[in-house]
Amino acid sequence: MSRPRILVTRRWPDAVEAALSERFDVTLNQDDAALDLAKLREALLTYDAVLPTVSDKLPASLFDGDTIRTKILGNFGVGFNHIDVASAKAKGIVVTNTPGVLTDCTADIAMLLLLSVARRGGEGERELRAGSWTGWRPTHLVGTKVTGKTVGIIGFGRIGRAFAQRCHFGFGMDVVFYNRSAIDPMEAARYGAMQLQTVEEVLEVSDFVSLHCPGGAENRHLMNAARLSKMKQGAFLINTARGDVVDETALISALEQGTIRGAGLDVYEAEPHVPERLRALDNVVLLPHLGSATEETRTAMGMKVVDNITAFFAGREPPDRVV
Ligand code: DGY
């Protein structure tokens, strides 16, 4: 029997590409250029499986018609808001993701952003590299103390919990959180955290607010101008979730006007575009979507995709099926 035809849309870690090539008839993306809509559409017509990443937009229009060959989208990443999963499902296409293996590294990046923006690490680095540091002085780049402050977490899934653990047990912070469903208080207490009933309640008491909910329609612009104005004036916003959870234009205005003190961002509304007005601000730390970017995690994510599509083509239920 011929092996399933698989398209990998970007370069993946070597070990994962090798594992895929051993098992399937694989087309790799040697030059790592992102695929446009036309190429993705062509891929759906040509391959049994397409393995996309967050940089591949798969809207409803790509799933039109009766000539689609793809049976499974093995997404490299836990977030899948770049795929119109309802349309995929309507066509009988299975979608899988890679939960679990990026929890720690994403929580670490949220902590890195929180510390960097509070302690003005980015500003200091820029000053030093520009050759403008004139030496130690008591009033130089004075930031905000982190230890003992209150952090508010929006979304208490795996990554939210890992972040709570770091904040509470590493930095002695009080942790409150909002989550759509109720979390057993004993479970929350394992992370030193307490659930509040509304997003607003969390915003009103937190010195730092960190977003850990999924992207997509349900949470689009969850942090809008009204919610940003509910944050404490000296507070900071951290986003390692998805860019569309924050109304970026409203955030820029809040930062410019001092409604909040600063932001640490790893994700943006129209990646890789980051608005000039945001890049011009000193009170933000901006990373290029690095949450899961460690050798260990990226390899583990890829191997999860291998497991998912291997199970699928062997007639078994893929372990990380989304639809
Ligand atoms: C994830 O896994 O969701 C990362 O943000 C990359 O897509």
Side-chain angles (χ1 to χ4, degrees):
M1 208 177 81
S2 67
R3 301 194 300 172
R5 292 197 69 201
I6 311 281
L7 176 71
V8 185
T9 66
R10 303 304 296 261
R11 283 308 308 268
W12 285 17
D14 290 345
V16 187
E17 291 189 348
L20 284 168
S21 302
E22 268 171 28
R23 296 181 192 191
F24 302 103
D25 174 5
V26 176
T27 302
L28 300 173
N29 182 346
Q30 298 296 352
D31 64 7
D32 203 21
L35 304 188
D36 60 19
L37 283 179
K39 290 205 174 104
L40 286 167
R41 169 77 182 167
E42 182 59 29
L44 293 178
L45 302 182
T46 319
Y47 290 90
D48 299 305
V50 175
L51 311 188
T53 71
V54 67
S55 64
D56 301 305
K57 306 289 170 244
L58 291 148
S61 58
L62 286 202
F63 298 96
D64 282 348
D66 296 325
T67 49
I68 290 184
R69 170 166 171 170
T70 295
K71 318 268 180 316
I72 178 167
L73 295 170
N75 186 53
F76 184 105
V78 67
F80 49 84
N81 61 317
H82 51 288
I83 303 171
D84 190 313
V85 288
S87 302
K89 187 177 176 193
K91 280 280 177 278
I93 301 173
V94 168
V95 180
T96 60
N97 70 343
T98 63
V101 291
L102 42 77
T103 305
D104 285 327
C105 288
T106 307
D108 289 348
I109 278 279
M111 205 68 230
L112 171 72
L113 285 169
L114 186 154
L115 290 168
S116 304
V117 72
R119 300 301 308 275
R120 305 179 69 177
E123 284 177 83
E125 239 241 346
R126 287 195 291 280
E127 181 185 273
L128 186 144
R129 283 181 186 271
S132 338
W133 183 36
T134 56
W136 192 92
R137 56 197 189 278
T139 56
H140 180 224
L141 285 181
V142 171
T144 299
K145 184 173 175 177
V146 170
T147 300
K149 293 286 174 63
T150 298
V151 63
I153 295 176
I154 308 295
F156 206 63
R158 290 186 190 83
I159 300 172
R161 290 170 208 216
F163 183 65
Q165 187 177 44
R166 282 153 178 73
C167 291
H168 184 71
F169 295 102
F171 293 87
M173 300 175 88
D174 289 331
V175 182
V176 293
F177 67 90
Y178 170 79
N179 193 67
R180 243 182 345 180
S181 55
I183 304 290
D184 178 351
M186 297 289 280
E187 168 68 2
R190 287 182 55 208
Y191 302 92
M194 189 176 75
Q195 185 163 19
L196 300 181
Q197 293 314 306
T198 63
V199 173
E200 282 71 15
E201 281 177 70
V202 170
L203 302 179
E204 280 161 14
V205 298
S206 300
D207 301 300
F208 298 89
V209 173
S210 192
L211 305 176
H212 296 284
C213 52
E218 59 182 328
N219 291 325
R220 188 178 145 70
H221 290 186
L222 177 136
M223 289 304 293
N224 53 22
R227 289 238 168 90
L228 287 163
S229 72
K230 292 268 189 260
M231 288 174 66
K232 286 180 165 181
Q233 202 180 9
F236 297 86
L237 181 71
I238 311 300
N239 190 9
T240 54
R242 278 293 181 265
D244 61 0
V245 177
V246 178
D247 178 341
E248 215 162 63
T249 308
L251 173 64
I252 293 168
S253 300
L255 289 163
E256 286 173 344
Q257 290 158 18
T259 310
I260 64 171
R261 180 133 174 200
L265 307 176
D266 190 42
V267 287
Y268 308 89
E269 279 206 83
E271 295 179 15
H273 171 72
V274 178
E276 170 60 36
R277 272 172 69 204
L278 189 55
R279 286 186 281 127
L281 291 169
D282 261 335
N283 54 343
V284 294
V285 175
L286 305 173
L287 295 180
H289 205 147
L290 295 180
S292 59
T294 62
E295 261 177 52
E296 296 89 338
T297 290
R298 289 283 163 87
T299 301
M301 289 164 76
M303 290 305 183
K304 275 210 149 238
V305 182
V306 176
D307 290 348
N308 280 316
I309 61 165
T310 300
F312 178 82
F313 285 113
R316 289 181 276 114
E317 180 69 6
D320 306 303
R321 183 170 179 162
V322 175
V323 295

